């Protein structure tokens, strides 16, 4: 996928395209926004644009460089994240990165290192990464991707150019699903409603082998209209769904989107507190805390804020 095919992130894309056109790319970027809105896709498109042999600011997806980047085989573009089965990016991974950035590009104009889930970098590794950010080698660009910049060291944040990614409008998600993925209009409408502004989440629900999760979410919306203002449906739903990590994250992302919409419609300290509780629980589960304890603790806190 190239810049022109990225959905709903025109501001971020324009900033990056102009950087390529003016040959004024920053040595480090921090892509921040909700999960599933195109941060990683945009980072890969940026790497294509920087190294494409046929285009000035956008990848062509036809040349050898673009194809290798898309397939993850380009020697000058690397995606770094927690190792399989792990939860953090280790200092060994960052030290390996430091050794590689010292060399000139092998095939392209730029070496691009994309650090996915940058907030999972250990403190020791973050301090090691800071050395590279402070003394960036020429022809090297680092892209850090995160949902929450405040989990990164302030010294790391201050050395990156911040690029914000927003939730994608529901109507645009519907259109993308029908036009690009040939989803029936009614199903696209339901998926967009469940997506909380994330095309990635909509596609996840579309591709899910067992549709019970999505059907139950639709049922909650159709019967109650919202999860806010009364948690009977949420408690019942929580008891019915499998208590695995994947299902729990989907429940929390759905609840977070619902809370966010209500906060935009009518901001209040109470709604803000609820959002903080859900975000805290998301963070705990991503850090491999017991799912049952995390969900039950969240529901208890939500009911307590309602009473207060």
């Amino acid at each position: 996928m190239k810049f022109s095919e990225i959905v709903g992130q025109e501001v971020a894309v324009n900033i990056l395209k102009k950087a390529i056109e003016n040959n004024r790319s920053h040595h480090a970027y921090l892509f921040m926004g909700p999960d599933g809105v195109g941060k990683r896709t945009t980072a890969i498109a940026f790497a294509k644009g920087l190294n494409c042999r046929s285009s000035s600011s956008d990848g062509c997806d036809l040349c050898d460089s673009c194809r290798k980047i898309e397939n993850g085989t380009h020697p000058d573009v690397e995606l770094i994240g927690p190792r399989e089965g792990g939860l953090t990016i280790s200092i060994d991974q960052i030290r390996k990165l430091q050794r590689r950035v010292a060399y000139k590009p092998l095939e392209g104009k730029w070496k691009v290192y994309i650090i996915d889930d940058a907030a999972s970098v250990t403190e020791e590794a973050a301090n090691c990464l800071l050395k590279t950010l402070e003394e960036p080698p020429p022809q090297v660009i680092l892209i850090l991707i995160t949902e929450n910049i405040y989990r990164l060291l302030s010294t790391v944040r201050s050395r990156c150019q911040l690029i914000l990614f927003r939730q994608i409008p529901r109507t645009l998600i519907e259109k993308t699903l029908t036009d690009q993925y040939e989803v029936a209009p009614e199903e696209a409408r339901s998926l967009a409603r469940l997506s909380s502004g994330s095309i990635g989440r909509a596609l996840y629900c579309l591709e899910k082998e067992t549709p019970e999760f999505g059907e139950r979410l639709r049922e909650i919306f159709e019967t109650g209209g919202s999860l806010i203002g009364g948690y009977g449906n949420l408690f019942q739903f929580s008891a019915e769904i499998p208590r695995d990590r994947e299902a729990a994250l989907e429940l929390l992302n759905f609840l977070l989107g619902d809370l966010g919409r209500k906060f935009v419609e009518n901001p209040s300290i109470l709604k803000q507190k609820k959002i903080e509780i859900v975000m805290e629980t998301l963070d705990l589960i991503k850090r491999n805390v017991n799912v049952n304890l995390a969900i039950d603790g969240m529901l208890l806190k939500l009911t307590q804020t309602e009473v207060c």
Side-chain angles (χ1 to χ4, degrees), residues 58-265:
D58 198 357
C60 66
D61 276 345
L62 298 173
C63 68
D64 288 344
S65 178
C66 285
R67 288 180 176 178
K68 286 182 178 180
I69 293 172
E70 182 68 29
N71 295 329
T73 58
H74 198 292
D76 299 318
V77 178
E78 185 174 348
L79 181 66
I80 300 166
R83 292 189 175 118
E84 187 174 355
L87 298 172
T88 61
I89 297 173
S90 69
I91 189 169
D92 289 339
Q93 290 174 276
I94 299 302
R95 283 174 176 164
K96 184 179 179 181
L97 180 153
Q98 285 182 322
R99 290 193 294 269
R100 292 186 178 182
V101 300
Y103 298 100
K104 293 182 180 180
L106 292 174
E107 293 184 10
K109 300 175 186 177
W110 293 89
K111 301 187 78 169
V112 182
Y113 294 89
I114 302 167
I115 303 178
D116 200 7
D117 193 12
S120 67
V121 173
T122 64
E123 185 174 353
E124 187 181 23
N127 286 318
C128 186
L129 177 63
L130 188 58
K131 296 177 183 178
T132 303
L133 293 173
E134 289 174 338
E135 301 176 4
Q139 295 178 287
V140 171
I141 292 177
L142 300 177
I143 303 173
L144 282 63
I145 297 175
T146 186
E147 293 180 56
N148 185 357
I149 61 172
Y150 297 107
R151 284 181 56 196
L152 294 169
L153 294 178
S154 60
T155 46
V156 170
R157 299 197 306 263
S158 64
R159 285 164 175 79
C160 301
Q161 180 178 341
L162 180 63
I163 305 291
L164 295 175
F165 287 74
R166 64 188 182 94
Q167 288 186 324
I168 302 170
R170 189 184 297 177
T171 53
L172 189 53
I173 292 177
E174 282 185 43
K175 188 176 188 305
T176 301
L177 291 172
T178 54
D179 294 353
Q180 296 185 22
Y181 297 91
E182 300 181 348
V183 178
E186 184 176 347
E187 185 178 7
R189 194 172 303 114
S190 296
L191 289 169
R193 193 177 188 183
L194 296 172
S195 69
S196 299
S198 165
I199 187 68
R201 193 166 300 126
L203 292 173
Y204 168 82
C205 291
L206 175 65
E207 296 170 2
K208 211 169 162 56
E209 292 182 4
T210 54
E212 289 84 0
F213 187 86
E215 291 301 322
R216 286 293 289 119
L217 289 178
R218 290 189 189 94
E219 182 181 329
I220 288 175
F221 248 141
E222 289 169 2
T223 57
S226 173
L227 297 176
I228 300 168
Y231 291 93
N233 280 335
L234 183 57
F235 270 102
Q236 181 181 355
F237 182 45
S238 175
E240 292 175 6
I241 66 170
R243 286 302 189 96
D244 60 80
R245 185 172 180 270
E246 186 179 85
L249 290 174
E250 282 302 305
L251 171 64
L252 294 175
N253 279 314
F254 178 78
L255 178 57
L256 190 61
D258 192 33
L259 285 163
R261 283 190 294 272
K262 293 297 181 182
F263 183 82
V264 170
E265 292 170 4

